[in-house]
C-alpha cells in the first residue's frame, strides 16, 4: 500500500557508510529493510524524482522501506577503440576517435537539453502547484476512487496513494482553468514518426 518503485543506484553515491555496507552485504533476490533517507543522503529532491512522488510527500514517508536487489552490475573500464565505439553507437557508426568524440558530444548535448527541459517542467509544475493550493473535496474523492477503481484503491492504500493523486488533480484543474480563462486550444498539427 505504500510507494513501490524500481530504480538503479550506484554504491558510490551512497554516503551513509552503514547503509552502503548493508547494500554490499545483501544478496540478489533477498528482501531487507533500508532507511530510504540514508540511501539517498537525505536529499529530498532526489527522493522526489527517484520515487516519483511530490517533495511534500517525501517528508511524510516512513523512513524504512523494504528493498530487494534484482540485479547487480559491476563496471570496468573498457579499452578505447573500435570495439567500444561499436558497442556504444552501433557497428560502423564511428571509425575514429574524433568521430566517436563528436558523436558523444552530440548525444550528451541532446541528453542534457532533454533533461534540462524535464527538470524545468517538473520545477514549473511544482512551483505552480505550491503557489495555488487548491482545496479538494478529499473525503469525496477518496470514496469515489475506491468505488470506481477498487483494484487500485482500497481502505488500506487510499491515504498513501491519494497524496500522489492530489498533485495530478491540482495540476489538471490549473491547466483546465488556464485554458478556459485564456481561450487556449491545443491542436495536433502533425504526427511525428519515430
Amino acid at each position: 500500500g505504500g510507494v513501490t518503485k524500481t530504480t538503479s543506484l550506484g554504491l558510490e553515491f551512497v554516503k551513509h557508510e552503514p547503509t552502503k555496507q548493508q547494500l554490499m552485504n545483501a544478496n540478489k533476490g533477498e528482501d531487507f529493510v533500508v532507511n530510504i533517507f540514508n540511501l539517498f543522503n537525505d536529499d529530498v529532491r532526489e527522493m522526489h524524482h527517484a520515487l516519483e512522488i511530490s517533495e511534500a510527500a517525501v517528508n511524510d514517508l516512513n523512513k524504512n522501506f523494504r528493498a530487494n536487489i534484482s540485479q547487480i552490475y559491476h563496471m570496468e573500464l573498457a579499452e578505447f577503440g573500435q570495439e567500444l565505439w561499436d558497442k556504444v553507437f552501433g557497428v560502423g557508426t564511428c571509425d575514429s576517435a574524433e568521430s566517436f568524440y563528436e558523436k558523444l558530444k552530440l548525444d550528451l548535448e541532446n541528453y542534457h537539453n532533454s533533461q534540462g527541459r524535464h527538470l524545468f517542467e517538473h520545477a514549473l509544475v511544482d512551483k505552480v502547484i505550491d503557489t495555488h493550493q487548491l482545496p479538494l473535496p478529499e473525503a469525496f474523492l477518496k470514496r469515489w476512487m475506491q468505488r470506481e477503481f477498487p483494484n487500485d484503491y482500497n481502505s488500506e492504500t487510499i491515504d498513501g496513494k491519494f497524496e500522489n493523486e492530489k498533485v495530478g488533480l491540482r495540476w489538471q484543474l490549473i491547466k483546465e482553468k488556464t485554458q478556459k480563462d485564456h481561450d487556449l486550444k491545443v491542436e495536433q498539427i502533425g504526427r511525428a514518426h519515430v
Side-chain angles (χ1 to χ4, degrees):
V3 176
T4 302
K5 180 70 177 146
T6 300
T7 189
S8 296
L9 181 69
L11 280 178
E12 68 273 17
F13 298 111
V14 179
K15 294 180 180 143
H16 187 256
E17 281 301 321
T19 300
K20 186 182 285 192
Q21 286 302 314
Q22 181 184 21
L23 292 173
M24 289 173 61
N25 293 331
N27 295 314
K28 183 176 173 181
E30 171 188 354
D31 284 342
F32 58 97
V33 175
V34 65
N35 181 315
I36 194 81
F37 288 83
N38 291 342
L39 189 64
F40 287 99
N41 308 310
D42 292 315
D43 187 334
V44 172
R45 190 142 190 88
E46 187 65 31
M47 286 186 274
H48 151 70
H49 288 294
L51 301 175
E52 297 178 352
I53 60 175
S54 71
E55 288 188 38
V58 169
N59 293 321
D60 294 333
L61 285 175
N62 180 327
K63 291 186 177 196
N64 294 318
F65 269 52
R66 185 171 54 89
N68 183 296
I69 298 174
S70 60
Q71 295 182 359
I72 300 172
Y73 297 100
H74 298 279
M75 291 195 249
E76 297 176 6
L77 290 177
E79 186 176 322
F80 189 72
Q82 191 65 51
E83 185 179 345
L84 173 66
W85 307 337
D86 289 346
K87 282 182 182 177
V88 173
F89 292 117
V91 176
T93 305
C94 302
D95 58 3
S96 67
E98 292 77 23
S99 64
F100 175 79
Y101 285 126
E102 189 58 37
K103 181 99 171 99
L104 184 61
K105 178 182 174 190
L106 183 62
D107 274 16
L108 288 172
E109 285 174 356
N110 290 336
Y111 171 78
H112 285 292
N113 288 338
S114 171
Q115 288 293 70
R117 282 190 301 276
H118 179 73
L119 288 173
F120 173 75
E121 288 169 9
H122 276 284
L124 176 66
V125 169
D126 290 347
K127 183 65 174 173
V128 170
I129 289 172
D130 288 346
T131 304
H132 300 84
Q133 287 294 323
L134 304 174
L136 296 172
E138 293 189 19
F140 166 76
L141 289 170
K142 287 178 182 180
R143 284 193 312 273
W144 177 80
M145 290 165 74
Q146 289 178 79
R147 187 184 72 234
E148 294 297 314
F149 309 102
N151 292 337
D152 296 321
Y153 305 99
N154 58 49
S155 58
E156 288 94 36
T157 64
I158 189 67
D159 290 329
K161 288 185 173 185
F162 188 73
E163 285 304 309
N164 293 332
E165 294 293 343
K166 280 196 308 191
V167 173
L169 288 169
R170 284 191 172 115
W171 180 241
Q172 187 65 35
L173 290 170
I174 290 167
K175 284 193 317 185
E176 288 174 5
K177 175 109 171 83
T178 303
Q179 287 174 336
K180 181 180 175 191
D181 289 353
H182 300 284
D183 195 30
L184 300 173
K185 292 182 177 69
V186 178
E187 297 175 354
Q188 184 174 333
I189 58 173
R191 183 169 287 234
H193 295 283
V194 179

